[in-house]
């Protein structure tokens, strides 16, 4: 193996310490404790785990969390009413509506109901729209894409002119990552399920961000020697040697890629820890924006 392993856990821990220090500084100067409201609709087990881990992370850095749970059959009006209440609550600086929402709810309308000053997930159409426009800045950048960029900025003094390939064009990862890379002056190619000659396109990448959700899809011969790889994918593959019966892998075949790449994130322990750290950072930022 030749690649450097980018240690997301260590980078995430460092960011969390910075946020904890920022929270303490606010409290020492007599300002309010930052608060994050989480809204969970339904009983999706993965969403329950994500919300719990976000609340736990808040507690660890001194951010107050307010958990709101609505039943699976909550109406559009009920969810929007809750968001409106949270918008008006001065103890709540950030609002996170856990996605995906149960079918039947209009996700775009619910995300649009969040005050953009409290949109710590960065999915409000205005924040995403600003991300896509030259000369405009979003108030908040979505957390996983922000984590991807944070890692890349540690690897490269500048991304200017580099060829970046993003695998995936979802609203929550692929597209915002691509927009951020464009803003960093990389030359960006976005790939998706209809892309032709995918290995050839990937071979042009100085920077590869994989966010597809297909276990170990990217192989060694797809990778340009010396590329930097950020693997966002989290996939379960059966593994009888593990107590749980499965293990987690990324979208990139790690062992193969590590022989060719300059640097690579592992799964788990890569992008995941950065996602929550960025949410904490956005919540602290929301609190200071709301001081003014
Ligand atoms: P989505 O399913 O929403 O999007 C997947 C994207 O990959 C789509 O754009 C799809 O194309 C594209 N795609 C699917 N199959 C192929 C293929 N064979 N070749 C090329 N492109 C393909 O997933 P998400 O963006 O939500 O998540 C992607 C991965 O990242 C998942 O494994 C998820 O678990 C993980 N994730 C990790 C996070 C973290 O914190 N580390 C946070 C969020 C997600 P098309 O648009 O044409 O359908």
């Amino acid at each position: 193996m030749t690649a450097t392993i980018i240690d997301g856990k260590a980078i995430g821990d460092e960011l969390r310490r910075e946020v904890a220090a920022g929270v303490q500084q606010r409290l020492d100067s007599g300002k309010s404790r930052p608060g994050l409201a989480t809204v969970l609709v339904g009983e999706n087990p993965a969403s329950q785990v994500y919300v719990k881990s976000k609340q736990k992370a808040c507690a660890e850095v001194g951010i107050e969390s307010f958990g709101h749970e609505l039943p699976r059959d909550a109406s559009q009006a009920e969810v929007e009413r809750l968001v409106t209440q949270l918008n008006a609550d001065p103890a709540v600086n950030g609002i996170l509506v856990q996605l995906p929402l149960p079918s039947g709810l209009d996700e775009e309308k619910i995300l649009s109901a969040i005050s953009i000053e409290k949109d710590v997930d960065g999915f409000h159409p205005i924040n995403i729209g600003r991300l896509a426009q030259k000369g405009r800045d979003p108030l908040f950048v979505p957390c996983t894409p922000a984590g991807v960029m944070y890692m890349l900025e540690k690897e490269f003094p500048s991304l200017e002119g580099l060829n970046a390939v993003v695998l995936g064009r979802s609203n929550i990862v692929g597209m915002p990552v691509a927009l951020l890379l464009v803003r960093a002056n990389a030359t960006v190619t976005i790939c998706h399920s209809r892309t032709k000659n995918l290995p050839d396109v990937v071979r042009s990448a100085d920077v590869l961000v994989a966010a597809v959700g297909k276990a170990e899809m990217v192989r060694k011969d797809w990778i340009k020697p010396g590329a930097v790889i950020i693997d966002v994918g989290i996939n379960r593959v059966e593994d009888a040697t593990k107590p749980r019966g499965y293990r987690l892998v990324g979208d990139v075949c790690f062992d193969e890629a590590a022989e060719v790449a300059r640097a690579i994130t592992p799964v788990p322990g890569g992008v995941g820890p950065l996602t929550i750290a960025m949410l904490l950072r956005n919540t602290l930022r929301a609190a200071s924006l709301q001081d003014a």
Side-chain angles (χ1 to χ4, degrees):
M1 181 166 74
T2 57
T4 307
I5 311 299
I6 303 172
D7 185 348
K9 170 89 176 56
I11 300 171
D13 285 349
E14 183 192 312
L15 258 171
R16 284 175 191 228
R17 281 194 294 274
E18 281 174 23
V19 174
V23 170
Q24 194 53 51
Q25 220 168 39
R26 280 184 65 79
L27 299 178
D28 291 347
S29 61
K31 292 179 180 159
S32 62
R33 185 179 290 284
L36 173 72
T38 55
V39 177
L40 176 62
V41 188
E43 287 95 33
N44 178 326
S47 294
Q48 287 171 329
V49 170
Y50 290 143
V51 166
K52 268 215 180 75
S53 57
K54 288 167 188 176
Q55 290 170 341
K56 182 167 170 272
C58 280
E60 283 165 7
V61 297
I63 292 176
E64 183 105 35
S65 61
F66 307 95
H68 293 268
E69 290 178 17
L70 292 175
R72 204 221 156 282
D73 59 357
S75 68
Q76 180 77 21
E78 278 173 279
V79 184
E80 287 182 27
R81 200 173 316 124
L82 174 58
V83 169
T84 307
Q85 276 167 20
L86 297 172
N87 283 340
D89 184 343
V92 170
N93 301 111
I95 302 170
L96 178 146
V97 175
Q98 184 64 43
L99 301 178
L101 288 166
S103 56
L105 290 174
D106 183 336
E107 178 188 297
E108 189 186 352
K109 249 182 116 193
I110 290 168
L111 295 180
S112 305
I114 299 173
S115 149
I116 65 161
E117 285 79 19
K118 297 191 177 186
D119 177 37
V120 288
D121 240 355
F123 294 143
H124 190 292
I126 292 183
N127 273 324
I128 290 288
R130 287 185 182 168
L131 194 62
Q133 287 179 318
K134 205 171 171 178
R136 311 264 162 88
D137 288 313
L139 283 178
F140 301 100
V141 172
C143 302
T144 302
V148 169
M149 295 306 289
Y150 193 80
M151 287 172 150
L152 285 174
E153 281 153 15
K154 285 192 174 285
E155 286 301 316
F156 294 99
S158 162
L159 291 162
E160 188 164 318
L162 294 179
N163 284 337
V165 172
V166 181
L167 296 182
R169 57 176 167 180
S170 72
N171 289 341
I172 63 168
V173 191
M175 191 55 77
V177 164
L179 294 171
L180 286 163
L181 286 163
V182 170
R183 288 172 87 90
N185 293 323
T187 301
V188 182
T189 306
I190 304 172
C191 300
H192 45 77
S193 63
R194 318 285 157 76
T195 300
K196 292 198 166 69
N197 304 324
L198 195 57
D200 285 344
V201 180
V202 173
R203 264 190 289 273
S204 70
D206 302 307
V207 174
L208 174 65
V209 180
V212 170
K214 299 267 180 252
E216 300 181 327
M217 184 181 86
V218 177
R219 313 304 305 203
K220 181 178 177 179
D221 66 340
W222 295 29
I223 296 161
K224 179 173 174 175
V228 171
I229 302 175
I230 309 290
D231 191 353
V232 185
I234 302 175
N235 310 289
R236 280 183 184 192
V237 294
E238 278 183 32
D239 186 339
T241 68
K242 303 282 174 200
R244 292 178 299 188
Y246 69 87
R247 67 193 154 89
L248 296 179
V249 299
D251 291 340
V252 178
C253 181
F254 181 87
D255 291 341
E256 290 183 13
E259 290 174 20
V260 195
R262 169 160 79 78
I264 183 167
T265 57
V267 178
V271 179
L274 269 278
T275 297
I276 291 189
M278 287 298 172
L279 173 67
L280 302 174
R281 193 155 96 152
N282 279 352
T283 305
L284 175 61
R285 181 173 143 73
S288 32
L289 289 174
Q290 287 158 41
D291 287 336

